Amino acid sequence: SNLRKRLADYVMDEIGSADNLMKSDDYHKHMSITGSVERSLDNIDLEAMERQADREKEIGFGGADLIAIDAPKKTTIMNSVAEFNWQEIKGVDKYTIHITDRFEREVLTKEIDQNSFSVNFYDYNLDKDVYYFWYVSVSGKPVIKSEEFAFRLMTDSEVEKVQAEVHGVLESFGDNISPAENIMLAAFYQEKGLFNEALQSYKRATDALPDVEAYAKLYSVFQYKMKSGNY
């Protein structure tokens, strides 16, 4: 009950500060850039995109970050299975997902024909408590790619502790979790650095009640924090 009250208080504080944050220049910069990228993907010249990326690479930018990804720049992963998602580009049939270790050695390179990929980390013997990095490119046009994102697998002791806390939170919610409780669950995951789990909880709340302004604001602020790294 104490944890539930603390989460509820945290959510109320976030709602109270959301308006000021959403008026900031930094918020509008990050959200408008991402929005313009996603809107442009429906009508894109892949050849021009590749030429642009090549030019930027030549002058030291390392290629353009042209595939939009709705994910935190850095996150902790609790479960052995995770799903990576990115914005679909019209006219692209195949993408390649790349996962590397901190020494830039390839752990996984997989070509797929959709804009999401589910991976079981146990299949690749990834170490726990170290960071790995992933990005997506257009197959056959490797300079057309996303930014690089980082993730860390929790240790067994961390997982055991968080799972016990999650169980306590879910037990207090009962069998059917309401949208408001999903918001509190998102706040819990966010506090633990489990941003993928937080993202799914925010989505469940806003999908269930899309007209509730407070939920939409919280979800939008969370997306800003993911994109800007300000979590």
Side-chain angles (χ1 to χ4, degrees):
S1 60
N2 288 336
L3 177 60
R4 183 181 176 120
K5 182 181 183 303
R6 182 168 60 80
L7 291 174
D9 289 342
Y10 171 80
V11 168
M12 293 306 296
D13 287 342
E14 286 287 285
I15 292 172
S17 62
D19 284 334
N20 287 335
L21 179 57
M22 292 172 75
K23 292 175 183 175
S24 71
D25 291 339
D26 194 57
Y27 172 87
H28 286 290
K29 180 184 75 173
H30 279 90
M31 300 305 280
S32 63
I33 289 173
T34 302
S36 63
V37 169
E38 293 180 356
R39 285 191 295 274
S40 69
L41 296 181
D42 287 335
N43 184 21
I44 203 161
D45 183 339
L46 288 176
E47 298 302 325
M49 188 187 240
E50 188 173 22
R51 290 194 297 271
Q52 174 193 342
D54 279 331
R55 284 195 299 271
E56 291 183 355
K57 190 174 182 180
E58 285 175 6
I59 61 176
F61 288 166
D65 301 319
L66 297 168
I67 300 178
I69 293 181
D70 188 16
K73 291 289 291 180
K74 183 171 70 174
T75 190
T76 300
I77 294 178
M78 180 171 62
N79 300 311
S80 61
V81 177
E83 185 170 288
F84 301 99
N85 299 277
W86 53 93
Q87 187 76 16
E88 183 179 7
I89 300 178
K90 190 175 181 180
V92 172
D93 298 322
K94 292 186 182 295
Y95 304 88
T96 302
I97 185 166
H98 310 259
I99 299 179
T100 65
D101 65 14
R102 61 192 183 281
F103 303 110
E104 298 186 356
R105 295 178 299 207
E106 292 276 353
V107 174
L108 167 67
T109 303
K110 181 83 171 176
E111 187 177 71
I112 49 180
D113 58 3
Q114 54 191 5
N115 60 320
S116 65
F117 178 68
S118 181
V119 58
N120 189 326
F121 298 117
Y122 289 155
D123 293 341
Y124 299 93
N125 298 315
L126 268 63
D127 294 326
K128 296 178 179 178
D129 203 26
V130 298
Y131 277 101
Y132 291 88
F133 304 86
W134 71 279
Y135 69 94
V136 177
S137 63
V138 172
S139 295
K141 299 180 185 295
V143 292
I144 302 177
K145 60 185 181 179
S146 71
E147 293 182 87
E148 193 173 69
F149 296 78
F151 66 88
R152 179 184 72 89
L153 301 181
M154 275 187 165
T155 64
D156 292 340
S157 60
E158 286 179 303
V159 170
E160 185 177 349
K161 180 179 179 181
V162 172
Q163 283 181 336
E165 291 182 84
V166 171
H167 177 74
V169 173
L170 294 177
E171 201 171 48
S172 74
F173 290 163
D175 294 334
N176 297 312
I177 300 178
S178 70
E181 289 168 337
N182 261 312
I183 290 292
M184 285 193 282
L185 191 58
F188 170 81
Y189 285 132
Q190 192 172 339
E191 186 181 66
K192 299 296 180 183
L194 297 166
F195 300 116
N196 286 324
E197 285 82 356
L199 178 64
Q200 297 308 315
S201 293
Y202 277 120
K203 282 183 176 179
R204 284 192 290 269
T206 53
D207 286 349
L209 292 175
D211 296 328
V212 176
E213 185 180 3
Y215 297 170
K217 284 182 180 179
L218 288 171
Y219 185 28
S220 184
V221 167
F222 173 72
Q223 288 178 304
Y224 156 74
K225 290 180 177 179
M226 282 202 305
K227 297 175 197 306
S228 65
N230 291 328
Y231 28 67

